[in-house]
Amino acid sequence: AAGALLRTGYLESKIGPEFVAQLAVGGVDGTLRSRFKPWAKARAVRAKTGTLNASFALSGYVLSAPGKPVVAFALFVNGASGKAGAARALMDKVVDAVARAGWGSPP
C-alpha cells in the first residue's frame, strides 16, 4: 500500500513535483542530512523518516541516473528496541543498493 501511494504521488502531474520536492534530500537537508552523503551531489535520495517507540520507517524515492527509472521504496522495521542505529543502517544499505543499481556508483 505504501509503495502504491508513493507511485501515485510521483506520477500524478498535479502534485508529483511538489510531493517529491518536499521530501528531505539525502546528504543535504532535514532528517537525511547525515545519511546518504555519497548521493548528495546527485540529489538522488528523497525520503521521509519515521520513528515511534521501537519502530522505524524510511520511505521515498531513488531518482536514478538519466534514462533509468525512478524507484519508490517503503521500508519498515518493527520491534527494534534499543537498536535504532542498527535498524537505520540496514535500511540505508537497502536504499544505497537501489541507488547503485540506478547509478552504478555515486556521481
Side-chain angles (χ1 to χ4, degrees), residues 5-104:
L5 176 65
L6 288 166
R7 182 179 188 280
T8 299
Y10 183 83
L11 294 174
E12 177 57 51
S13 63
K14 292 180 183 177
I15 66 163
E18 291 179 36
F19 184 70
V20 174
Q22 59 85 31
L23 297 171
V25 179
V28 176
D29 62 6
T31 55
L32 299 182
R33 183 180 308 111
S34 63
R35 297 164 75 175
F36 308 109
K37 289 258 185 207
W39 301 104
K41 182 178 178 183
R43 301 175 69 85
V45 177
R46 308 288 180 96
K48 176 74 179 127
T49 62
T51 302
L52 181 63
N53 297 327
S55 298
F56 307 94
L58 180 65
S59 301
Y61 306 95
V62 172
L63 307 177
S64 299
K68 301 272 183 143
V70 171
V71 177
F73 63 87
L75 305 170
F76 303 92
V77 176
N78 293 312
S81 182
K83 299 178 183 172
R88 288 185 185 111
L90 288 173
M91 289 189 290
D92 289 1
K93 282 184 179 183
V94 170
V95 174
D96 183 69
V98 171
R100 288 179 185 279
W103 285 89

